[in-house]
Amino acid sequence: MARRPSLIPGPNINYASAGAAKAQASASLGAALDRMSGFVFKEAADRAAVAGAQYGFDKPITVEQIEDAMREDRDIDEIVGDQTTIFGSASRATIGQKLQAQLEAESRSKIAVIQGAISAGQPVDLDSVRSTLNGLMDGNSSVLAEIDPKLASQYRATVSTVAASTFKLATEQVFKAQKREALAIYDSGKIILPDNIGSLLASETEENFYAQEAVLRRSHMDLAFTTGDATTVKSAPTDFDTAKSQAATGLLVELAREDVNAVDERNGNFGEKSWIWNSLSSAEKADVTSRIRTIRDDDYTIKERTEKEAEDNVKERVVFLVSSLSVMPQGDPSRRALEIELSAFHAAGLVPAASYKGALDGRLPPSNSTELADAKLKVADGTLISNAALSKYLEDKNINDADKASLYNALLAKKSQLYNVALGVIRPLVDADPAVSSGRKPLVTARLAIQAVEKASGIDMDVAQVARETVADQLVSQLQASAQKAIERLNTDVKGWSEGGFESLSVENFSNIAALEARIAEIKNTDFYRGAGRDGQVNIDRHLSSLLRAYKQLYELGAAGAAQ
Amino acid sequence: MAALVPIALSAVGGAGASAAVGLGLSALSAYSSMRAGRAQAVGLARQSAMEQVQARGAALQYRQAAVDRLKQLNAQQGALVARAGAGGLDPFSGSYKQLSQMAEREAAIDYRILQDNAIISREGGSIQSGLLLDQANRAKRSGLYKAGATLGQAGMTYRKIGGPPKGDE
């Protein structure tokens, strides 16, 4: 039997590989296209970045536009560009940098104005400065944060550095002003302290005084502490003690001035106020004794002058009696009393015979017209300024009592005129003098005015000029006393000063301010000064400053140095 | 402000044109991706059909082998009968009968194995064909997805480049 043909296996065609090859070709093409599009997109992105930056630079965006958009709850992408795109991001960055620079410049300018005002000493309200500076930082940085938080942080960092220094300056100025104010209050308190202590000394018993003095001292120390000034706090106890000493010695001297015979400084007897004397140091007692001695001397002089004035008054009264009676009709009812008074003076030998006769019969001898004219001239020009001087001048002159009376009247008018001129000059000067307590100002003014009028009449000078000189003399005396006191304080307060070889430190020994300043600088360069310690140096500095201040004023007044 | 708009537009014009070109190229790239996917899918689908044809061929070969085995059994039985007749022996009893029965058993076993092979071959081809069809579908979808991704990325890049705010365009 023939063998039947068998089936052969089917052809093995790989369609998958063919498809894969075709797909590979398309994929390669796609990859090439991807690379191209990637390149083109990168190019587009680079161009968009440049265009965005240019757009941001050219577009005039203001802070107000951003603020308006924020207020109206609009998206600021509409103004500065969308930050999620390359173009918007670039434009936003440029606009942000522009605004940052603009806001920084504006803020710096505003802060500079504030700083200028503070430096110029304008009053500073710290809260106002703080809120202004915070406003500049917070307001502007919130606008910038809308554009780019990083720029806002940079702006805030830059402005806060400037603002911090401004705020520091403001704070310093406020503290300085507070310190100045506290020091001014302290100084005011220091000036009136002698008056306050004096009032207590005058009105209180010893026991009450010490209780109230403690209160006053605490209050004074509290004032010193509020200044925050170490030197003031350190000197406050001394200031108080000085004021107390001044008040105590002043009160005792005042008691003596009221009635010098009611006090006995040799035995320390000041009546109810003897306890004050007992509380004084030996130096203070010596001071009081010396000043009361001057009062006693003045008192003696015053007595003498009073007696002389009484005698002159009698002479003047006689003149007026004679003058009045000589022209009074015989039947006048008041004539009798005047005649009795004149008779009494006549009996005492105080009425010349011719005057007595003329008064009774109405026929006074005629005056020498030349001598009368001279006398009138001397009264008018101020040569004869006191009743005593006029009385003395008239003693050997042939001038009858009626004319003498008219001369006295003219003198009275002249004195009043000159006294008013002197008062006009002296009163403002005395009022401005802090060394004279307010209670004593009228007395001192009147005394100086009288002195000026009398001095002017004696040396034939303009009374206003003399009044100024009188006040200047008074000031010079005070300054000299102040300088002397500073030197004494150096001797008493600074340990070892008197042994230190500084005895030449006296206002008389220096020809000008520079010489004294050089000497002070020399002293501050000595081992003694360096070894005095901090407290010692503060003491020395204070007293040397007082001395220099007094010397400068004396020098300017021509009362010290080569100008003296 | 109005004066700035042309400046901005001209500046952005360059970037915009480039971006549009990029967008076009990306579209072409997407088309290529789609084509690549489709080509791979077609190849795989054809391969799937081919696999089925080959499996059927293999099954037929096994069926033919089974028939040939039966033919071989007939030939063996004939040879036994002939040999017994020549020797004057009874071919349907004794050792001849045992030899005949053993040949039948062996042929039956072979026949069943060959029948099973035909089934395995046909069904295996069918499974392989199905897998290739799935691959073809996946390749097609993959091409589409890749094209979509390419277009999406291009669109995002185009948008990312951006331009002036709306009011100034």
Side-chain angles (χ1 to χ4, degrees), chain A residues 118-141:
Chain A
I118 294 169
S119 301
Q122 294 285 319
V124 179
D125 177 0
L126 215 50
D127 287 338
S128 165
V129 171
R130 184 190 290 118
S131 67
T132 305
L133 295 177
N134 283 344
L136 283 175
M137 283 191 288
D138 296 342
N140 292 338
S141 63

Side-chain angles (χ1 to χ4, degrees), chain A residues 4-7 9 11-16 23 26 30 33-34 37 40 44 47 55 58-59 78 82 84-87, chain B residues 4 12 14-15 18-19 22 26 28-29 32 36 43 46-47 50 54 60-61 64 71 157 159-161 163-165 168:
Chain A
R4 195 177 291 166
S6 63
L7 288 168
N12 190 12
I13 303 167
N14 195 343
Y15 288 106
S26 291
L33 288 168
D34 280 344
S37 70
V40 172
R47 288 188 182 197
Y55 173 83
D58 292 335
K59 188 164 183 179
E78 296 170 12
D82 181 357
T84 61
T85 68
I86 292 168
F87 182 94
Chain B
L4 291 171
V12 178
S18 299
S26 291
L28 287 175
S29 170
S32 294
R46 285 180 181 165
Q47 187 67 35
M50 189 66 209
Q54 282 187 334
L60 285 173
Q61 280 182 325
Q64 188 178 359
K71 284 179 179 173
T157 307
R159 192 207 159 277
K160 176 77 185 167
I161 287 166
D168 290 343

Side-chain angles (χ1 to χ4, degrees), chain A residues 166-426:
Chain A
T166 306
F167 193 70
K168 185 176 170 230
L169 180 67
T171 311
E172 285 171 355
Q173 290 297 324
V174 166
F175 283 140
K176 278 182 188 168
Q178 284 173 348
K179 191 172 179 180
R180 273 200 303 274
E181 193 180 343
L183 279 172
I185 292 170
Y186 176 80
D187 286 342
S188 305
K190 201 168 94 173
I191 288 170
I192 60 168
L193 197 55
D195 281 354
N196 290 343
I197 298 175
S199 300
L200 284 180
L201 285 167
S203 61
E204 300 296 341
T205 61
E206 181 177 9
E207 192 179 335
N208 285 348
F209 169 76
Y210 285 120
Q212 300 218 25
E213 184 214 356
V215 175
L216 201 58
R217 185 183 285 270
R218 263 201 307 278
S219 158
H220 179 76
M221 287 307 296
D222 287 347
L223 264 185
F225 281 124
T226 57
T227 64
D229 182 52
T231 311
T232 303
V233 171
K234 205 166 274 179
S235 68
T238 315
D239 289 343
F240 189 89
D241 290 339
T242 306
K244 185 185 166 190
S245 167
Q246 195 180 333
T249 55
L251 180 70
L252 295 181
V253 171
E254 203 59 40
L255 285 175
R257 190 170 281 121
E258 282 169 12
D259 185 358
V260 78
N261 295 318
V263 301
D264 178 6
E265 72 276 15
R266 287 177 192 278
N267 297 310
N269 183 5
F270 287 81
E272 287 180 350
K273 301 297 175 189
S274 296
W275 62 271
I276 298 177
W277 169 268
N278 294 331
S279 72
L280 297 182
S281 66
S282 53
E284 288 166 338
K285 283 177 180 171
D287 177 40
V288 171
T289 304
S290 157
R291 286 159 71 186
I292 293 179
R293 191 180 304 122
T294 308
I295 292 170
R296 287 192 190 286
D297 292 347
D298 289 349
D299 187 55
Y300 179 73
T301 311
I302 289 165
K303 270 183 185 164
E304 266 193 335
R305 197 165 67 182
T306 309
E307 284 169 10
K308 185 78 174 63
E309 277 177 2
E311 192 184 321
D312 291 339
N313 286 344
V314 168
K315 284 183 183 173
E316 194 179 333
R317 180 66 185 162
V318 167
V319 166
F320 276 97
L321 284 171
V322 171
S323 165
S324 301
L325 285 169
S326 67
V327 294
M328 193 178 282
Q330 290 297 330
D332 193 310
S334 54
R335 188 178 174 89
R336 180 67 188 148
L338 297 179
E339 282 180 353
I340 290 170
E341 191 181 354
L342 185 65
S343 297
F345 285 133
H346 182 246
L350 297 170
V351 186
S355 295
Y356 187 64
K357 184 175 173 298
L360 296 180
D361 62 14
R363 288 187 299 217
L364 288 172
S367 303
N368 181 317
S369 59
T370 309
E371 287 180 348
L372 179 59
D374 283 349
K376 281 181 177 173
L377 195 62
K378 284 185 186 300
V379 170
D381 66 10
T383 308
L384 294 170
I385 199 65
S386 68
N387 287 13
L390 179 59
S391 172
K392 194 169 185 324
Y393 179 79
L394 293 174
E395 274 175 4
D396 55 349
K397 298 292 182 292
N398 187 13
I399 296 172
N400 69 33
D401 289 301
D403 291 331
K404 281 180 182 172
S406 69
L407 285 169
Y408 276 114
N409 283 333
L411 177 63
L412 189 65
K414 181 67 183 174
K415 274 166 74 177
S416 174
Q417 179 199 347
L418 291 177
Y419 182 72
N420 281 329
V421 170
L423 271 186
V425 172
I426 290 166

Side-chain angles (χ1 to χ4, degrees), chain A residues 75-90:
Chain A
D75 194 346
I76 66 159
D77 288 357
E78 296 170 12
I79 303 168
V80 296
D82 181 357
Q83 63 184 334
T84 61
T85 68
I86 292 168
F87 182 94
S89 182

Side-chain angles (χ1 to χ4, degrees), chain A residues 470-484 554 557 559:
Chain A
T470 305
V471 175
D473 288 346
Q474 177 87 357
L475 182 59
V476 166
S477 301
Q478 284 172 4
L479 290 170
Q480 282 171 339
S482 175
Q484 190 55 38
L554 284 169
L557 289 167

